Amino acid sequence: MKNLITRRNFVGGVAAGAGLATVGGRAFAQQLALPTSPVTLNIIDVAGNLALTQKAIENYRKAKPNLVSRITFTKAPAPELAGKLKAQQDAGRVDIDLVLTGTDALSAGIEQKLWVEVMAQHASALPKLDDIYLPAAAKMQTLAKGQGVVVTYYPSGPILEYMPDRVKKVPTTAEELLAWTKENPNRLIYARPANSGPGRTFIMGLPYILGDSNPQDPAKGWDKTWAYLKELGQNIEYYPSGTGAVMKELGEGSRDMTVSTTGWDINPRVLGVVPKEAKVAALKGFHWVADAHYMCIPKGLSNEKIAVLLDLMNFLLTKEQQAYTYDEGYFYPGPAVKGVTLDMAPPESQAAIKEYGRPEYEKWIAENPIELPLQPEQMVVAFRMWDEQIGGAKRK
């Protein structure tokens, strides 16, 4: 998705001679010496995160011309990253300096030992994360196993999104949703969870709604969830490969309802893919299943590059730069750091969220528990079981 963010100038100081990086008036000891001449940074995004952070990263280059001369940005599918990075590391020629990722490529890199152990080796070069993060963002940080740093966060979902002119009786419970699909076959749609944020948030959220025995164990603790998804699937025509196709069908009128997240509700309406009039609902007993993006440093870089990347991480975690992550609602709210309010965001972000955001989100965030997503190895199990038991024969 294309998102507009305007620049906000921010000037940070670096006391390179003293070995200190100054961020927000606070100095952090640097373990590694900063370069004496500016470097080029190559950043790859496998999570859509640049929509939220690219302007802030560009602000860093402008604020620190003594450290960075140029920044290149590339995007790639998450499943391709680990193999590419491993090949570069084996050849001793790593040309990726920073990876922006979700939990998928993060966990693949952890498994294959691709990442610098940032927290074990360089914690003193970063702020005390538990002190600055929102509580749920701090929980998401634990999934990184010390090998990545959360840069953006949102409570995600699962919520229902529907067209009010076509859905007259809005489901309020899981049972009512199932009954609605029986009365309105093929009018609900959601995408394959392995490639859809709303899809996987929905299946990870159902165990809490249905009262399953262990919401963190899809193989042994999701009996009610798998039974429910199978019955629900009898009334679903097919499962698209990604969320974009789902929103297009909802917007065009070929479907009446889908599962969604805060960002996938707001941003497609900002962009005109889904009509502004679409509404959202939450099922009784729902828990948020959170999501986050991470900054990871591949092994194999020079100490000078790592020193600059740590300084960049500090910069991106300041309140001024976190305010850009409100974006046009793509990862709403977006900031991982405490005390970052919408009035700090660029005017375009404020205008988009004022027009397309929803006051009920603040109430739902305040009143409903926020859970961690599945651990990476359990998420793989859930995707495999869904493909085998639910959607394998009806994917498109």
Side-chain angles (χ1 to χ4, degrees):
M1 289 184 177
K2 184 179 178 183
N3 294 269
L4 276 175
I5 315 173
T6 58
R7 288 184 179 85
R8 174 181 292 233
N9 291 330
F10 177 81
V11 178
V14 175
L20 296 175
T22 304
V23 181
R26 223 176 132 189
F28 302 98
Q30 288 281 4
Q31 292 181 326
L32 302 174
L34 290 162
T36 55
S37 59
V39 300
T40 296
L41 294 181
N42 299 313
I43 297 175
I44 188 167
D45 173 19
V46 297
N49 178 261
L50 285 174
L52 313 174
T53 61
Q54 184 167 344
K55 293 300 181 185
I57 295 170
E58 290 172 342
N59 286 347
Y60 178 79
R61 179 184 57 80
K62 292 179 178 179
K64 309 286 183 83
N66 58 316
L67 296 182
V68 178
S69 59
R70 189 166 67 96
I71 301 177
T72 66
F73 300 98
T74 56
K75 300 177 182 180
E80 296 178 4
L81 179 74
K84 179 178 181 179
L85 199 48
K86 182 73 164 57
Q88 290 185 9
Q89 291 172 341
D90 289 347
R93 292 193 299 272
V94 177
D95 64 10
I96 296 170
D97 299 316
L98 183 70
V99 176
L100 301 171
T101 178
T103 54
D104 41 18
L106 169 75
S107 58
I110 291 172
E111 181 183 17
Q112 297 186 42
K113 301 183 175 12
L114 304 181
W115 309 128
V116 170
E117 300 267 359
V118 175
M119 300 312 298
Q121 299 173 14
H122 306 292
S124 63
L126 293 168
K128 291 184 178 178
L129 299 179
D130 284 345
D131 290 349
I132 66 167
Y133 280 152
L134 294 164
K139 286 185 179 180
M140 292 299 293
Q141 177 62 30
T142 65
L143 296 180
K145 314 296 184 188
Q147 297 174 48
V149 176
V150 167
V151 64
T152 50
Y153 152 80
Y154 82 134
S156 193
I159 55 179
L160 296 179
E161 186 169 358
Y162 64 94
M163 297 309 302
D165 59 331
R166 302 195 294 270
V167 179
K168 300 302 183 183
K169 185 179 179 183
V170 181
T172 62
T173 66
E175 293 75 18
E176 288 179 4
L177 175 62
L178 183 60
W180 185 90
T181 65
K182 291 178 179 178
E183 295 169 5
N184 302 273
N186 301 333
R187 304 307 294 176
L188 173 74
I189 191 171
Y190 72 93
R192 182 190 180 203
N195 198 43
S196 168
R200 62 175 166 265
T201 302
F202 177 55
I203 68 168
M204 288 190 290
L206 275 176
Y208 297 100
I209 295 169
L210 298 173
D212 252 323
S213 61
N214 187 351
Q216 288 289 318
D217 187 350
K220 299 178 181 177
W222 283 23
D223 291 351
K224 294 177 182 178
T225 294
W226 294 123
Y228 182 89
L229 287 169
K230 287 174 185 176
E231 192 170 358
L232 191 73
Q234 295 175 14
N235 312 310
I236 294 175
E237 185 175 1
Y238 73 95
Y239 302 94
S241 60
T243 318
V246 168
M247 293 302 169
K248 184 179 179 183
E249 292 208 23
L250 181 68
E252 291 174 347
S254 55
R255 312 293 162 179
D256 301 336
M257 187 186 300
T258 187
V259 300
S260 194
T261 64
T262 58
W264 274 102
D265 160 43
I266 296 173
N267 196 246
R269 290 188 300 118
V270 172
L271 298 176
V273 176
V274 172
K276 183 179 179 181
E277 304 78 57
K279 299 291 185 183
V280 293
L283 297 178
K284 181 180 178 181
F286 100 102
H287 293 207
W288 296 100
V289 179
D291 199 3
H293 291 155
Y294 300 81
M295 304 177 283
C296 295
I297 301 175
K299 292 178 179 177
L301 303 181
S302 68
N303 285 343
E304 287 188 341
K305 277 273 183 88
I306 294 174
V308 172
L309 291 166
L310 293 168
D311 194 59
L312 171 60
M313 288 181 177
N314 274 289
F315 185 88
L316 295 179
L317 292 175
T318 62
K319 292 181 181 180
E320 292 87 348
Q321 304 308 315
Q322 283 279 301
Y324 284 93
T325 66
Y326 276 101
D327 173 56
E328 290 178 321
Y330 176 64
F331 215 64
Y332 182 81
V337 169
K338 291 184 286 191
V340 183
T341 53
L342 182 58
D343 61 354
M344 299 167 64
E348 288 81 359
S349 294
Q350 295 186 45
I353 292 169
K354 181 178 180 181
E355 184 171 357
Y356 293 93
R358 301 187 189 275
E360 56 261 49
Y361 284 154
E362 301 313 310
K363 177 179 171 64
W364 293 353
I365 291 170
E367 294 180 354
N368 294 277
I370 300 175
E371 308 290 350
L372 284 176
L374 294 175
Q375 292 291 323
E377 59 274 15
Q378 295 299 330
M379 196 175 291
V380 171
V381 171
F383 292 164
R384 177 179 53 77
M385 293 181 69
W386 187 93
D387 283 346
E388 291 174 354
Q389 299 182 26
I390 310 300
K394 297 172 72 172
R395 279 165 44 190
K396 182 176 177 181

